[in-house]
Amino acid sequence: MNSALPPGYEISTAPERLDHALIHQWLSQDAYWALGRPREKQDLAIAESLNFGVYDSASGAQAGYARVVTDLSTFAWLCDVYIDPTVRGKGLGTALVSAVKDHLAPYGLRRILLATADAHAVYAEGGFAPLGAPEKWMVLGEQ
């Protein structure tokens, strides 16, 4: 699965390729939305989601991650999108979002949502836009 990836990288949904410890480190220590997330919670989230890994083609080392919570029928939530800081700026985030969209396209989902505080431009390149009617949406829990 390759969607506009820069040379030397690949994207996979193969669960056995995921580096659980590295994903936990990235998210719990560097991602504002998941700071302090316990490893057990992260492992459960991975187990119950559709996961995408970005990998260095030569070494196989994981360079990025994204997770989708979905019923594969009507709805998906794109979350935990993270690119290793040492490889940011190469277009991996945009390619990862594109790969997620391409993977989900055959299911004909009505909507794919996400939340971001600082990466609006990356997601806009992938076709995401602000909610058209935010007054319709409600949340239970953390905001």
Side-chain angles (χ1 to χ4, degrees):
M1 172 185 326
N2 289 316
S3 295
L5 273 168
Y9 292 93
E10 58 190 2
I11 294 175
S12 173
T13 58
E16 65 275 7
R17 293 189 71 185
L18 296 170
D19 184 335
H20 289 235
L22 181 59
I23 294 166
H24 178 254
Q25 178 186 328
W26 283 339
L27 297 178
S28 69
Q29 295 178 18
D30 190 43
Y32 67 85
W33 65 90
L35 292 175
R37 182 182 290 167
R39 173 69 189 264
E40 309 78 47
K41 285 261 188 203
Q42 185 61 54
D43 286 344
L44 182 58
I46 290 170
E48 299 296 331
S49 300
L50 172 59
N51 301 280
F52 294 78
V54 179
Y55 302 93
D56 180 288
S57 298
S59 69
Q62 192 164 351
Y65 175 72
R67 181 168 75 84
V68 177
V69 180
T70 182
D71 60 11
L72 294 176
S73 179
T74 63
F75 177 81
W77 176 264
L78 174 59
C79 55
D80 288 345
V81 179
Y82 189 92
I83 300 297
D84 188 293
T86 64
V87 294
R88 288 182 187 161
K90 296 182 177 188
L92 294 174
T94 301
L96 180 56
V97 171
S98 179
V100 169
K101 281 182 34 185
D102 291 349
H103 186 90
L104 295 174
Y107 297 101
L109 303 177
R110 183 174 175 148
R111 67 179 48 93
I112 302 170
L113 292 180
L114 63 85
T116 185
D118 60 357
H120 295 79
V122 170
Y123 297 109
E125 285 183 41
F128 285 86
L131 285 174
E135 68 279 0
K136 290 183 179 181
W137 295 87
M138 298 182 73
V139 65
L140 175 63
E142 213 173 296
Q143 291 192 41

mmCIF file of all heavy atoms in Angstrom, residues 30 81-92:
data_model
loop_
_atom_site.group_PDB
_atom_site.id
_atom_site.type_symbol
_atom_site.label_atom_id
_atom_site.label_comp_id
_atom_site.label_asym_id
_atom_site.label_seq_id
_atom_site.Cartn_x
_atom_site.Cartn_y
_atom_site.Cartn_z
ATOM 1 N N ASP A 30 5.013 12.438 23.839
ATOM 2 C CA ASP A 30 5.205 13.561 22.924
ATOM 3 C C ASP A 30 3.921 14.082 22.289
ATOM 4 O O ASP A 30 3.921 15.178 21.750
ATOM 5 C CB ASP A 30 6.200 13.167 21.822
ATOM 6 C CG ASP A 30 6.640 14.353 20.986
ATOM 7 O OD1 ASP A 30 6.924 15.425 21.560
ATOM 8 O OD2 ASP A 30 6.678 14.223 19.750
ATOM 9 N N VAL A 81 -2.563 9.997 15.000
ATOM 10 C CA VAL A 81 -1.670 10.169 13.853
ATOM 11 C C VAL A 81 -0.366 10.794 14.362
ATOM 12 O O VAL A 81 -0.387 11.856 14.984
ATOM 13 C CB VAL A 81 -2.309 11.056 12.767
ATOM 14 C CG1 VAL A 81 -1.354 11.239 11.595
ATOM 15 C CG2 VAL A 81 -3.640 10.471 12.309
ATOM 16 N N TYR A 82 0.738 10.116 14.087
ATOM 17 C CA TYR A 82 2.025 10.570 14.608
ATOM 18 C C TYR A 82 3.143 10.190 13.643
ATOM 19 O O TYR A 82 3.194 9.056 13.166
ATOM 20 C CB TYR A 82 2.292 9.912 15.974
ATOM 21 C CG TYR A 82 3.492 10.480 16.684
ATOM 22 C CD1 TYR A 82 3.358 11.536 17.575
ATOM 23 C CD2 TYR A 82 4.760 9.981 16.446
ATOM 24 C CE1 TYR A 82 4.465 12.079 18.217
ATOM 25 C CE2 TYR A 82 5.868 10.521 17.084
ATOM 26 C CZ TYR A 82 5.716 11.563 17.961
ATOM 27 O OH TYR A 82 6.818 12.107 18.590
ATOM 28 N N ILE A 83 4.017 11.147 13.369
ATOM 29 C CA ILE A 83 5.218 10.910 12.566
ATOM 30 C C ILE A 83 6.418 11.205 13.455
ATOM 31 O O ILE A 83 6.470 12.243 14.133
ATOM 32 C CB ILE A 83 5.249 11.809 11.301
ATOM 33 C CG1 ILE A 83 4.041 11.542 10.404
ATOM 34 C CG2 ILE A 83 6.565 11.616 10.539
ATOM 35 C CD1 ILE A 83 3.962 10.140 9.821
ATOM 36 N N ASP A 84 7.382 10.298 13.447
ATOM 37 C CA ASP A 84 8.593 10.478 14.248
ATOM 38 C C ASP A 84 9.217 11.838 13.920
ATOM 39 O O ASP A 84 9.367 12.189 12.743
ATOM 40 C CB ASP A 84 9.587 9.358 13.932
ATOM 41 C CG ASP A 84 10.778 9.375 14.858
ATOM 42 O OD1 ASP A 84 11.580 10.339 14.788
ATOM 43 O OD2 ASP A 84 10.926 8.427 15.646
ATOM 44 N N PRO A 85 9.574 12.616 14.948
ATOM 45 C CA PRO A 85 10.132 13.957 14.708
ATOM 46 C C PRO A 85 11.368 13.967 13.807
ATOM 47 O O PRO A 85 11.603 14.940 13.099
ATOM 48 C CB PRO A 85 10.483 14.463 16.111
ATOM 49 C CG PRO A 85 9.621 13.676 17.034
ATOM 50 C CD PRO A 85 9.417 12.335 16.374
ATOM 51 N N THR A 86 12.138 12.887 13.801
ATOM 52 C CA THR A 86 13.367 12.858 12.996
ATOM 53 C C THR A 86 13.097 12.754 11.501
ATOM 54 O O THR A 86 14.013 12.974 10.701
ATOM 55 C CB THR A 86 14.282 11.695 13.421
ATOM 56 O OG1 THR A 86 13.624 10.452 13.166
ATOM 57 C CG2 THR A 86 14.661 11.786 14.891
ATOM 58 N N VAL A 87 11.861 12.416 11.103
ATOM 59 C CA VAL A 87 11.551 12.287 9.671
ATOM 60 C C VAL A 87 10.398 13.191 9.244
ATOM 61 O O VAL A 87 9.873 13.047 8.142
ATOM 62 C CB VAL A 87 11.260 10.812 9.284
ATOM 63 C CG1 VAL A 87 12.499 9.963 9.452
ATOM 64 C CG2 VAL A 87 10.092 10.243 10.073
ATOM 65 N N ARG A 88 10.021 14.122 10.086
ATOM 66 C CA ARG A 88 8.960 15.062 9.713
ATOM 67 C C ARG A 88 9.447 15.992 8.605
ATOM 68 O O ARG A 88 10.631 16.237 8.456
ATOM 69 C CB ARG A 88 8.516 15.875 10.932
ATOM 70 C CG ARG A 88 7.716 15.037 11.902
ATOM 71 C CD ARG A 88 7.216 15.822 13.081
ATOM 72 N NE ARG A 88 6.607 14.905 14.042
ATOM 73 C CZ ARG A 88 6.398 15.208 15.300
ATOM 74 N NH1 ARG A 88 6.730 16.387 15.781
ATOM 75 N NH2 ARG A 88 5.847 14.318 16.102
ATOM 76 N N GLY A 89 8.506 16.507 7.840
ATOM 77 C CA GLY A 89 8.839 17.424 6.762
ATOM 78 C C GLY A 89 9.083 16.738 5.432
ATOM 79 O O GLY A 89 9.412 17.392 4.440
ATOM 80 N N LYS A 90 8.916 15.423 5.378
ATOM 81 C CA LYS A 90 9.131 14.671 4.143
ATOM 82 C C LYS A 90 7.828 14.313 3.432
ATOM 83 O O LYS A 90 7.841 13.645 2.411
ATOM 84 C CB LYS A 90 9.893 13.378 4.447
ATOM 85 C CG LYS A 90 11.280 13.590 4.987
ATOM 86 C CD LYS A 90 11.982 12.269 5.213
ATOM 87 C CE LYS A 90 13.410 12.507 5.700
ATOM 88 N NZ LYS A 90 14.164 11.248 5.749
ATOM 89 N N GLY A 91 6.704 14.703 4.012
ATOM 90 C CA GLY A 91 5.415 14.377 3.416
ATOM 91 C C GLY A 91 4.822 13.069 3.910
ATOM 92 O O GLY A 91 3.827 12.591 3.359
ATOM 93 N N LEU A 92 5.419 12.497 4.951
ATOM 94 C CA LEU A 92 4.916 11.216 5.456
ATOM 95 C C LEU A 92 3.530 11.339 6.074
ATOM 96 O O LEU A 92 2.698 10.445 5.918
ATOM 97 C CB LEU A 92 5.900 10.621 6.466
ATOM 98 C CG LEU A 92 7.258 10.200 5.905
ATOM 99 C CD1 LEU A 92 8.192 9.761 7.032
ATOM 100 C CD2 LEU A 92 7.100 9.097 4.886
#
